[in-house]
């Protein structure tokens, strides 16, 4: 039997909620993505919470909130502890996305769902892979191979191929078949008839125009607003689609020599671009070629200024400008603040480049017609002053005192306990000696005795003779003087490494921009003040699709091309999912599933397979015919066993004659050409090929179904005449007879 | 997994193909360069009709065609894949020549960083050698054209070309250096290129592949030498530099523009940062090429080690040196007071490093630090031995008072590394390349004793000397689809299509599912033929005639529109469609075609001659008579095959050949014979004779 495969959506099925799926392959449980919406609502993660501790591996596909946002929270609070697999850019940019998200939240609320440390520790056990790298899983997952492949959409975006016993399960969400300014199109179409394809129906109902035209419209829309003295806000993600926008803008500004400033404002913008600059090999071919030949890095971004706090933006005043600010949902963060400022002015434009997440401010503004006014909460973190500060300090003081009191109490108890032991041993001096020796072994007297020094005289109740510790200098001497340990004078490798690492602040894996770090490390007591207000939406609002996902038509053709045996649809509105489901079920013979959240479906393939060895003796008797990259032959063999393995041997008794098989793939159009070259009068008539006067060749049945199984059915008919046999001969010549 | 079947043998010339073994199982590895020498690395490997070339370098010691590897030993057109490990000239510089001037039409792969630096390095190489060499191997245009043909591969990324699967591991050595693993039909070869298992400031240590290759082609540059620990070397280096400059001397570091130079700059830059008192002393880096390559170093951080990546993550790019200035030419160099200058070339043959050397060599305060492997015949090699006098570039002799230090930062594996590496991956076959003959011989000896008793072969072929290995690979097939619904037991028979893809993967399947497993590239077909034959007589006559000729004529099971229909031998359906014609319909295959032809002939005979009287004898001809006839034919044919054949009782035939007697049952075909070989032959013969006597098998029987 085939490999058993079960899929359970934990979120993101029949709806546009974040992506998170459970995939079990022969009992090995993969978590496919671990997304969270910008709202960060823990109740969304309930299905995940139930299964998190049982997960064996996590595969991440894209570096944005919808695909990996819940990872730190799940690691911290839900007991998720499995190794995480991702490509290098997904890891880096994902980390930055989480930093940015945290900082945006933390600036306006007492955000406590996860901290930066949680983000760091969650990303610590990410195993980083390269595209097309076959990674063999060990232990429980023995025999499973995972490999990331290019997905398009976001930098490092991944289509995961999970292979067990030659059967492929492919997880491909948010892929893009189109080559973009900075990314290659997906390689999904190169996969050979996988057992299971898990894909999304997100864009099943959308169709896009031409990219070039779309880019032009986009830039035109911006320029129109800028020329009339308005500013443009593009709410974007932290390190995903924004890269494509930046490139389009930077290139266009460069070509036209435009002077309007472009600002890229996120908490981590400078480091984002720094990392992206070193990810050229993950981008499209023309970018890497350009770099190889001329060392031009498109992400040097000559026309974009990277800023990490709003003050710099405020300095510019009201001059026309383009601002790309993070948090596409406008929930919190820079985009939110700027929106509130800009919404009031009719000259301004807020241009959405992706569909807003469900239930967010961005989504509210994308409805048609847009609302006249929206209610927002404006929050700010301000330092404490006056009484509040005093109260805070007192509180801190109190906490500190309590802690130290507690600590000293614990120490006292420990001391008592140890002295209790001493008392039992009845000779405190010896004990002292041993402990001092121990500490000198450890290389430092100070560490061991620090308690006593600090605590001073805490008269141990049980001790007979309280005294300062005394350590005898036990230096050894030989003929050459004091014996030295050469190790003490060696510069150790670790020390070297330490000195190399010195000043690099090794705690954080990625870096936070200085400004943000200041903000974060700033220990000034602060609090959050917020007030609700209503914002009149007078500015223009627009939506242009720069999501970089394949549109409905392409998704359908990609699915038809890949022709999986079983198709699982997730992540798409109910209508989109149903639409795609109907479409696929109607047009091909594949099995389509669209599970609900927490519904487990079994997509174990009914294809069977077993492995056999081909004996030399058998193979020497087989004559294959070559057809392109394949060779085919008829095989008659008998099964034998050798070292527990099945082996095919030549048959011991003559095999029964088999039905002869014609092999080849005939296209009527090709055949027509072939006959014409031979000098026949050939024409298509009513779907059939009319050869000469009387003979017709037709194809029936399966020919329409591209991925369909079974063999081709051809009919040749005509009256008894010489031509009939000639045509038949030519038709046979198109096939191999076995 | 393939297993090595035979011992390795090394032959002077390539053995004639064929031989005692199947040619397909023979792997031949031939160094076209770097066999018992350092330089022009190029190793050719062929197996199962596929050919791979590893590296394509020139020999720095020669010029023109003499510097090339021995390409005429191979057929460049037959090479499928060329894999270049790193950008050094002795590994990559013959590539434009090979691509543009030979019949090679395969694909070329290298890592991203290698490709980026390759172009710069070769352009520089062409520019420099133009001045001195007349017969240039290639020009700038060739290099630019070669860039279009080079494809890039990332570390660990698996690529398949024409059945050759390969991927690469980080090799240390220089930025982008890779070791390639190639898998052809289960036989795995690891080609290390130049590698170093020691992590340094910016490069990772060479990875250890997590599998044991069948063959390991490994460098042997340092033979059985052992490096000093890195920290000791670094400390010596920084001490020499700082003490020299603090005494007012100048330090010259002749180094190749790329590779070690970056490492040394990282060391110096850091040392300067930690020692503010040195800040006023300038460090110059005199190489326009290296300056151009800096962008590559600043970009390909992902090919470097964790340490530098973390540094990058926390502060600005470490390759933005704070204390190093670049120097374009000696004219812009103000030689006042102490300074540290790193200049190329590393061998002090010519150029800036030589100019500075000539200027500084007489002053005892100055120092020259030689930081890597020096090629024999260069001035750098000469001064390591600290002669009293040296010859300057202008031909004059001058006393050598300058301090000369040799501190090797060369990122090649030394013996402990090589031995540990081989100990971990345990290849059954080791091929040594890239090392001087003496070093290589010593290394070979040490390795042979290290792996004594483990059935490991170590060879060190000279250039053009082939190493042959035989692998008996098990051919594993996968039975798929409906054919594989249940796993068969011993003795069951399996029949189906055997599909071989790209020469190595075998699948057994039902013919109808061919389309599924070849992604609609191939498919089985059924051709239904329908032919109408003019006939205006009664259908009953047709029925009668056919009944007489064929053993099986039945009424059609599927009645359509009340037209009478007959099925002959369950293959051909004969139906009277109209008053003037009958239609024959059948599904194409050789036997059915034959049956249909005879049916057509029979029907035509009826209409041509009109109804003919049926002779009584014919009608009375019994089945037994047919049997008798058949038996007679069998007998006659057996006699012609085996000679002494006697008819026994009840249709039995007694055949005697060379004293062996066999009894053949004329009906069932059973043979009784003590000689198994004879038995088999008689069975086969009988089967074929039966096939001729009764060409149309009765499917019912």
């Amino acid at each position: 039997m085939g490999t058993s495969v079960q899929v359970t959506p934990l979120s993101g099925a029949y709806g546009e909620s974040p992506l998170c799926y459970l995939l079990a392959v022969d009992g090995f449980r993969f978590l496919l993505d671990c997304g969270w919406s910008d709202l960060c609502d823990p109740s969304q993660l309930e299905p995940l919470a139930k299964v998190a501790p049982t997960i064996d591996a996590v595969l991440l596909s894209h570096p944005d909130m919808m695909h990996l946002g819940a990872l730190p929270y799940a690691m911290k609070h839900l007991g998720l502890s499995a190794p995480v697999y991702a490509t290098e850019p997904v890891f880096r940019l994902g980390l930055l996305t989480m930093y940015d998200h945290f900082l945006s939240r933390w600036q306006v609320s007492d955000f406590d769902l996860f901290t930066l440390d949680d983000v760091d520790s969650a990303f610590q056990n990410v195993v980083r892979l390269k595209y097309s790298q076959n990674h063999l899983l060990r232990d429980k997952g023995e025999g499973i191979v995972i490999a990331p492949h290019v997905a398009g959409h976001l930098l490092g975006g991944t289509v995961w191929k999970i292979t067990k016993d030659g059967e492929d399960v492919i997880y491909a969400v948010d892929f893009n078949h189109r080559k973009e300014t900075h990314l290659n199109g997906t390689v999904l179409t190169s996969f050979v008839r996988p057992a299971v394809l898990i894909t999304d129906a997100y864009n099943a109902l959308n169709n896009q125009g031409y990219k070039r035209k779309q880019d032009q419209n986009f830039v035109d829309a911006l320029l129109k607003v800028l020329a009339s003295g308005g500013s443009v806000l593009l709410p974007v993600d932290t390190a995903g689609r924004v890269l494509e926008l930046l490139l389009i803008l930077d290139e266009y500004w460069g070509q036209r020599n435009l002077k309007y400033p472009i600002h890229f404002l996120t908490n981590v913008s400078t480091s984002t671009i720094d990392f992206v600059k070193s990810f050229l090999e993950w981008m499209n071919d023309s970018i890497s070629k350009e770099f190889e030949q001329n060392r031009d890095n498109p992400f040097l971004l000559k026309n974009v200024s990277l800023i990490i706090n709003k003050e710099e933006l405020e300095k510019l005043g009201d001059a026309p400008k383009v601002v790309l600010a993070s948090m596409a949902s406008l929930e919190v963060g820079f985009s939110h603040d700027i929106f509130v400022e800009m919404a009031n002015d009719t000259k301004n434009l807020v241009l959405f480049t992706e569909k807003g997440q469900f239930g967010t401010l961005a989504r509210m503004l994308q409805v048609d017609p847009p609302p006249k006014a929206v209610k927002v909460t404006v929050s700010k973190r301000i330092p404490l002053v006056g009484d509040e500060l005093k109260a805070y300090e007192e509180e801190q003081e109190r906490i500190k005192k309590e802690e130290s009191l507690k600590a000293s109490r614990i120490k006292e108890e420990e001391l008592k306990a140890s002295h209790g032991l001493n008392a039992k041993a009845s000779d405190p001096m010896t004990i002292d000696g041993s402990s001092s020796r121990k500490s000198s072994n450890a290389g430092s007297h100070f560490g061991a005795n620090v308690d006593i020094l600090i605590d001073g005289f805490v008269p141990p109740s049980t001790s007979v003779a309280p005294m300062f510790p005394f350590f005898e200098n036990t230096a050894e001497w030989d003929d050459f003087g004091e014996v030295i340990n050469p190790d003490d004078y060696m510069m150790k490798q670790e020390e070297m490494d330490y000195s190399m690492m010195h000043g690099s602040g090794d705690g954080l894996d990625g870096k936070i921009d200085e400004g943000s770090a200041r903000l974060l490390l700033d220990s000034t007591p602060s609090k959050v003040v917020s007030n609700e207000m209503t914002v009149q939406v007078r500015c223009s609002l627009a939506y242009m699709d720069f999501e970089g996902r394949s549109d409905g038509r392409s998704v359908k053709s990609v699915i038809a091309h890949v022709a999986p045996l079983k198709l699982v649809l997730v992540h798409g509105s109910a209508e989109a999912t149903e639409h795609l489901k109907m479409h696929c079920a109607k047009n091909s013979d594949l099995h389509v599933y669209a599970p609900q959240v927490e519904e487990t479906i079994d997509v174990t393939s009914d294809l069977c397979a077993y492995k056999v060895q081909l004996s030399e003796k058998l193979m020497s008797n087989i004559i294959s015919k070559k057809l392109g990259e394949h060779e085919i032959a008829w095989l008659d063999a008998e099964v034998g066993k050798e070292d527990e393995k099945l082996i095919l041997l030549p048959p011991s008794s003559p095999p029964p004659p088999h039905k002869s098989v014609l092999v080849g793939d005939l296209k009527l159009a090709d055949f027509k050409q072939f006959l014409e070259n031979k000098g026949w009068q050939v024409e298509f008539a009513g779907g059939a090929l009319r050869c000469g006067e009387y003979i017709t060749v037709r194809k029936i049945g399966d020919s329409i179904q591209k991925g369909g199984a079974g063999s081709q059915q051809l009919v040749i008919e005509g009256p008894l005449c010489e031509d009939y046999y000639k045509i038949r001969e030519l038709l046979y010549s198109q096939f191999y007879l076995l | 997994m393939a297993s090595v079947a035979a011992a390795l043998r090394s032959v002077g010339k390539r053995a004639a193909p064929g031989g005692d073994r199947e040619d397909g199982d023979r792997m031949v590895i031939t160094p076209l360069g770097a066999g018992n020498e350092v330089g022009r690395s190029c190793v050719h490997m062929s197996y199962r009709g596929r050919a791979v070339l590893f590296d394509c370098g020139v020999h720095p010691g020669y010029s023109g065609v003499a510097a090339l590897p021995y390409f005429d030993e191979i057929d460049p057109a037959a090479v499928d894949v060329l894999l270049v490990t790193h950008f050094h000239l002795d590994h990559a510089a013959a590539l434009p020549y090979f691509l543009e001037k030979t019949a090679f039409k395969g694909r070329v792969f290298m890592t991203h960083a290698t490709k980026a630096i390759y172009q710069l390095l070769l352009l520089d190489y062409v520019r420099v050698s133009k001045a001195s060499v007349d017969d240039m191997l290639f020009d700038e245009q060739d290099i630019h054209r070669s860039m279009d043909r080079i494809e890039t591969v990332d570390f660990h990324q698996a690529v398949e070309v024409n059945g050759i699967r390969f991927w690469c591991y980080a090799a240390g050595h220089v930025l982008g250096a890779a070791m390639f693993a190639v898998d052809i039909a289960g036989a795995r070869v690891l080609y290390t290129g130049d590698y170093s298992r020691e992590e340094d400031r910016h490069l990772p240590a060479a990875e250890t592949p997590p599998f044991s290759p069948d063959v390991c082609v490994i460098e042997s540059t340092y033979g059985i030498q052992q490096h000093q620990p890195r920290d000791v070397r670094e400390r010596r280096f920084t001490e020499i530099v700082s003490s020299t400059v603090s005494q007012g001397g100048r330090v010259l570091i002749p180094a190749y523009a790329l590779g070690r130079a970056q490492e040394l700059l990282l060391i110096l830059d850091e040392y300067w940062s930690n020692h503010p008192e040195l800040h006023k002393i300038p460090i110059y880096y005199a190489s326009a090429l290296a300056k151009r390559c800096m962008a590559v170093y600043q970009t390909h951080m992902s090919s470097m080690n964790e340490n530098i990546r973390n540094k990058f993550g926390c502060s600005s790019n470490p390759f933005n040196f704070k204390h190093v200035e670049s120097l374009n030419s000696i004219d812009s160099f103000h030689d006042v007071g102490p300074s540290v200058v790193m200049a190329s070339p590393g061998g002090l043959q010519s150029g800036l490093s030589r100019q500075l050397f000539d200027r500084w060599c007489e002053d005892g305060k100055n120092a020259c630090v030689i930081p890597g492997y020096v090629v024999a015949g260069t001035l750098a090699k000469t001064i390591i031995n600290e002669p009293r006098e040296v010859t300057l570039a202008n031909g004059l002799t001058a006393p050598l008072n300058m301090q000369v230090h040799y501190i090797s930062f060369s990122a090649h594996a030394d013996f402990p590394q090589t031995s540990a590496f081989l100990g971990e991956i345990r290849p059954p076959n080791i091929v040594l390349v890239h090392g001087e003959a003496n070093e290589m011989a010593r290394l070979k000896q040490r390795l042979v004793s290290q792996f004594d008793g483990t059935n490991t072969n170590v060879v060190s072929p000279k250039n053009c000397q082939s190493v042959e290995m035989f692998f008996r690979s098990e051919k594993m097939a996968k039975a798929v689809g409906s054919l594989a619904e249940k796993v068969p037991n011993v003795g069951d028979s399996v029949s189906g299509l055997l599909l071989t893809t790209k020469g190595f993967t075998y699948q057994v399947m039902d013919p109808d599912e061919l389309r599924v497993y070849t992604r609609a590239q191939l498919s089985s077909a059924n051709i239904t033929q329908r032919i109408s034959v003019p006939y205006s007589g009664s259908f009953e006559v047709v029925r009668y005639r056919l009944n007489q000729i064929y053993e099986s004529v039945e009424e059609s099971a599927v009645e359509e529109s009340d037209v009478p229909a007959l099925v002959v031998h369950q293959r051909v359906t004969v139906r009277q469609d109209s008053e003037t014609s009958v239609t024959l319909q059948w599904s194409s295959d050789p036997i059915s075609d034959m049956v249909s032809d005879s049916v057509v002939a029979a029907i035509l005979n009826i209409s041509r001659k009109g109804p003919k009287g049926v002779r009584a004898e014919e009608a009375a001809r019994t089945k037994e008579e047919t049997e008798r006839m058949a038996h007679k034919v069998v007998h006659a044919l057996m006699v012609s095959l085996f000679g002494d054949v006697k008819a026994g009782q009840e249709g039995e035939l007694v055949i005697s050949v060379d004293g062996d007697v066999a009894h053949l049952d004329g009906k069932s075909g059973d043979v009784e014979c003590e000689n198994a070989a004879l038995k088999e032959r008689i069975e086969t013969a009988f089967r074929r004779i039966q096939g001729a006597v009764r060409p149309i098998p009765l499917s019912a029987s």
Side-chain angles (χ1 to χ4, degrees), chain A residues 88 92 128 130-134 138 165-166 189 191-193 274-275 277-278 280-282 289 291-293 295 297 491 493 496-497 499-501 504-505 508-511 561-562 607-614 616 619 622 627 629-641 645-646 648 654 659-665 698 705-706 708-720 724-725 728 731-732 735 737-738, chain B residues 22 112 115-116 119-120 144 147-148 152 154-158 165 201 210 230-231 234-235 270 292 295-296 299-302 306-307 309-315 473-481 483-503 506 508 511-512 514-534 586 588-590 593 596-597 600 604 687:
Chain A
E88 176 85 32
R92 281 290 173 197
R128 287 168 259 172
K130 299 279 170 62
Y131 281 145
S132 318
Q133 175 178 355
N134 293 321
R138 306 226 173 269
D165 294 337
T189 45
F191 293 129
V192 182
R193 204 165 165 85
D274 268 356
F275 278 117
K277 268 191 267 185
S278 73
L280 295 189
E281 64 261 40
W282 299 85
K289 199 165 194 172
F291 180 76
E292 280 154 8
Q293 307 217 326
R295 292 166 308 290
N297 194 329
M491 209 190 212
Q493 186 71 32
M496 287 289 290
D497 286 345
S499 72
M500 281 160 63
M501 292 287 295
S504 61
L508 298 181
D509 217 354
K511 67 174 158 177
H561 190 87
V562 173
L607 275 189
C608 314
Y610 60 86
K611 279 195 164 172
V612 285
Q613 192 186 327
L614 301 168
E616 286 290 321
M619 291 308 285
I622 282 178
L627 277 168
E629 61 180 11
H630 302 285
E631 284 173 41
I632 46 169
W634 184 266
L635 176 88
D636 276 312
E638 196 172 287
V639 180
K641 222 164 204 172
K645 277 188 294 189
L646 292 174
L648 291 183
K659 206 170 143 245
S660 54
V661 185
L662 290 166
V663 177
D665 193 16
R698 274 187 295 134
Q705 286 178 22
K706 235 191 146 187
S711 43
Q712 335 172 48
Q713 303 291 338
L714 287 159
V715 178
I716 171 167
E717 57 186 330
L720 182 68
Y724 180 87
Y725 289 97
R728 190 176 79 176
L731 184 62
Y732 279 179
F735 291 95
L737 182 75
L738 289 174
Chain B
E22 210 186 315
H112 295 269
K115 187 178 177 189
Q119 188 199 21
L120 293 168
H144 289 304
M147 285 299 279
D148 294 333
T152 49
D154 210 337
F155 293 104
H156 302 278
Q157 181 187 343
R165 233 156 45 80
R201 248 146 233 270
R230 192 190 74 187
D231 46 304
E234 281 188 12
R235 207 168 48 239
E270 185 189 293
R292 282 198 290 273
V296 182
T299 301
H300 284 286
M301 304 302 286
S302 54
E306 224 24 69
N307 163 27
R309 265 147 72 182
N310 286 340
K311 250 189 194 171
F312 173 51
C314 299
S315 58
S473 55
E474 286 174 359
K475 297 186 175 92
M476 292 301 290
K478 217 168 105 180
V480 289
L483 197 74
E485 258 158 23
K486 77 182 218 333
V487 178
N489 295 317
V490 173
D492 289 357
S493 62
V494 173
S495 309
L497 276 189
L498 178 69
L499 175 78
T500 317
T501 310
K502 289 176 186 152
Y506 300 94
V508 183
D512 286 343
L514 183 63
R515 193 182 176 80
V516 177
Y517 291 100
T518 57
R519 266 187 82 64
Q521 284 172 4
L522 292 181
S523 121
S524 57
N526 282 325
I527 301 179
T528 308
Q529 305 196 31
R530 208 173 289 147
I531 188 166
S532 52
V533 184
W586 72 100
S588 297
D589 80 65
D593 286 357
S596 75
D597 287 352
V600 168
L604 288 179
R687 200 167 66 234

Side-chain angles (χ1 to χ4, degrees), chain B residues 421-441:
Chain B
F421 183 72
L422 291 174
E424 278 170 53
I425 62 170
R426 295 226 152 258
N429 298 291
I430 300 169
V431 180
L432 300 178
V433 294
H434 198 277
E436 278 163 18
N438 291 337
E439 292 288 356
M440 207 184 251

Side-chain angles (χ1 to χ4, degrees), chain A residues 245-544:
Chain A
L245 297 174
L246 284 172
L247 275 194
I248 293 173
L249 292 176
D250 188 57
E251 197 186 316
Y252 194 81
W253 255 238
Q255 279 169 10
R256 296 297 175 87
N257 218 355
L258 294 170
K259 290 284 174 262
Y260 302 112
I262 305 174
H263 301 285
F264 176 36
L265 172 61
T266 74
N267 288 301
V268 290
S269 61
T270 50
S271 41
T272 305
I273 298 301
D274 268 356
F275 278 117
V276 168
K277 268 191 267 185
S278 73
F279 287 146
L280 295 189
E281 64 261 40
W282 299 85
M283 299 181 194
N284 77 22
D285 301 336
S286 44
I287 287 189
S288 45
K289 199 165 194 172
E290 184 66 12
F291 180 76
E292 280 154 8
Q293 307 217 326
N294 309 319
R295 292 166 308 290
D296 274 346
N297 194 329
F299 281 96
L300 290 173
L301 298 176
K302 295 172 196 72
N303 302 297
V304 177
S305 62
L306 311 174
I307 48 179
I308 50 172
N309 55 39
K310 254 185 76 195
E311 282 95 67
E312 277 182 66
L313 194 66
E314 276 154 11
K315 277 185 218 151
L316 283 161
D318 284 339
K321 59 187 175 284
V322 180
V323 184
L324 298 96
S326 64
M327 200 76 88
S329 57
L330 293 180
E331 274 300 295
V332 286
F334 292 127
S335 62
H336 175 86
D337 299 350
I338 296 169
F339 170 74
V340 171
E341 285 163 24
M342 282 176 43
N344 227 341
D345 193 336
T346 48
K347 281 189 299 203
N348 293 340
L349 168 70
V350 176
L351 179 59
F352 295 99
T353 52
E354 54 187 284
K355 226 193 297 178
Q357 288 172 27
F358 195 75
T360 61
L361 179 57
R363 186 64 165 252
M364 264 187 263
L365 294 168
Q366 283 172 23
V367 293
D368 195 39
K372 291 267 180 299
V374 286
K375 244 193 201 137
V376 293
T377 314
V378 178
S379 314
K380 212 172 174 185
R381 186 168 280 273
I382 52 164
L384 295 177
V385 284
D387 289 347
E388 275 180 317
L389 183 62
K390 225 179 200 170
Y392 174 84
E393 274 165 359
E394 274 165 15
E395 176 73 14
Q396 290 296 314
E397 197 69 15
R398 198 178 55 79
I399 292 172
K400 226 191 213 160
K401 250 188 207 154
E402 260 175 27
E403 266 169 15
S404 66
L405 211 67
K406 215 166 156 191
S408 68
R409 209 175 293 140
I410 289 169
K411 252 172 221 156
E412 239 169 77
E413 272 160 23
E414 274 171 6
L415 212 61
K416 268 180 206 161
S418 75
H419 278 286
L421 278 172
N422 286 357
K424 268 178 210 149
S426 81
D427 189 353
M429 289 305 288
T430 6
I431 300 293
D432 260 358
S434 74
S435 78
S436 85
R437 213 175 307 141
K438 215 189 284 163
S439 61
S440 69
N441 287 347
S444 152
H445 297 301
F446 183 74
N449 299 310
V450 71
D451 282 357
I452 300 173
L453 291 175
I454 288 175
D455 289 351
F457 285 115
V458 180
S461 50
T462 51
S463 176
V464 196
M467 62 184 291
F468 275 109
F470 168 73
F471 305 105
E472 201 174 352
N473 189 352
T474 55
E476 283 180 50
W477 292 72
D478 63 11
D479 296 348
F480 302 99
E482 194 174 343
V483 173
I484 58 163
N485 182 359
D487 285 346
D488 295 345
Y489 298 89
M490 282 294 281
M491 209 190 212
K492 290 238 175 63
Q493 186 71 32
E494 299 91 84
E495 286 170 34
M496 287 289 290
D497 286 345
Y498 179 75
S499 72
M500 281 160 63
M501 292 287 295
H502 191 69
S504 61
D506 43 11
L508 298 181
D509 217 354
K511 67 174 158 177
I512 301 183
D513 297 68
E514 260 168 57
S516 309
R518 174 185 55 79
L519 188 100
L520 188 76
L521 302 173
D522 196 0
S523 54
T524 323
S526 58
K527 64 163 184 175
V528 173
V529 284
S530 33
N531 54 326
E532 289 215 353
M533 57 188 272
T534 307
V535 174
Q536 301 297 319
V537 185
R538 295 211 180 84
C539 65
S540 22
L541 298 168
Y543 167 70
M544 286 185 185

Side-chain angles (χ1 to χ4, degrees), chain A residues 6-23:
Chain A
Q6 284 95 28
V7 181
T8 316
L10 301 174
S11 167
Y14 274 102
E16 294 177 1
S17 48
L19 297 92
C20 191
Y21 312 99
L22 179 68
L23 168 73

Side-chain angles (χ1 to χ4, degrees), chain B residues 155-239:
Chain B
F155 293 104
H156 302 278
Q157 181 187 343
V159 182
E160 185 168 333
V161 176
N162 194 17
I164 304 167
R165 233 156 45 80
F166 64 89
W167 60 98
C168 60
Y169 297 98
H173 192 60
V174 289
L175 182 68
M179 46 174 86
F180 279 96
V182 175
D183 181 324
I184 301 176
R188 286 179 171 183
V189 176
L190 181 74
Y191 178 80
T192 63
D194 293 355
Y195 75 105
S196 163
R197 277 162 67 84
E198 190 175 56
E199 181 165 326
D200 61 21
R201 248 146 233 270
H202 69 296
L203 294 171
E207 287 174 89
T208 308
F211 64 91
S212 174
D214 298 301
V215 183
C216 181
V217 183
I218 193 166
E219 68 143 325
S220 43
T221 320
Y222 276 92
I224 54 166
Q225 299 176 34
Q226 189 175 349
H227 298 320
Q228 274 182 318
R230 192 190 74 187
D231 46 304
V232 174
R233 278 179 282 151
E234 281 188 12
R235 207 168 48 239
R236 255 182 74 202
F237 175 67
T238 49
E239 269 165 16

Side-chain angles (χ1 to χ4, degrees), chain B residues 514-624:
Chain B
L514 183 63
R515 193 182 176 80
V516 177
Y517 291 100
T518 57
R519 266 187 82 64
Q521 284 172 4
L522 292 181
S523 121
S524 57
N526 282 325
I527 301 179
T528 308
Q529 305 196 31
R530 208 173 289 147
I531 188 166
S532 52
V533 184
Y535 174 71
S536 47
S538 150
F539 194 66
E540 281 309 308
V541 179
V542 176
R543 187 196 306 268
Y544 177 69
R545 275 301 187 96
L546 295 179
N547 254 324
Q548 274 189 318
I549 298 171
Y550 301 100
E551 285 173 73
S552 156
V553 178
E554 288 159 26
E555 292 294 324
S556 167
V558 211
E559 280 299 332
E560 280 174 44
S561 61
D562 300 332
V563 181
L566 294 171
V567 184
V568 180
H569 276 283
Q570 299 187 337
R571 289 169 187 275
V572 181
T573 310
V574 184
R575 180 182 294 130
Q576 188 168 34
D577 274 348
S578 67
E579 289 293 303
T580 54
S581 69
V582 287
T583 310
L584 271 64
Q585 182 177 335
W586 72 100
S587 167
S588 297
D589 80 65
I591 294 171
S592 303
D593 286 357
M594 183 180 73
V595 173
S596 75
D597 287 352
S598 64
V599 171
V600 168
I603 294 171
L604 288 179
N605 270 340
I606 302 170
S607 50
R608 194 179 299 154
K609 292 180 184 168
K612 204 165 72 170
V614 181
R615 278 189 282 168
E617 310 92 90
E618 260 178 59
R621 199 156 131 183
T622 58
K623 210 176 175 188
E624 273 169 45

Side-chain angles (χ1 to χ4, degrees), chain A residues 27-39:
Chain A
F28 191 87
R29 292 155 82 87
F30 286 101
L31 187 67
L32 303 175
D33 283 330
C34 190
W36 215 357
S37 72
D38 281 357
L39 299 168

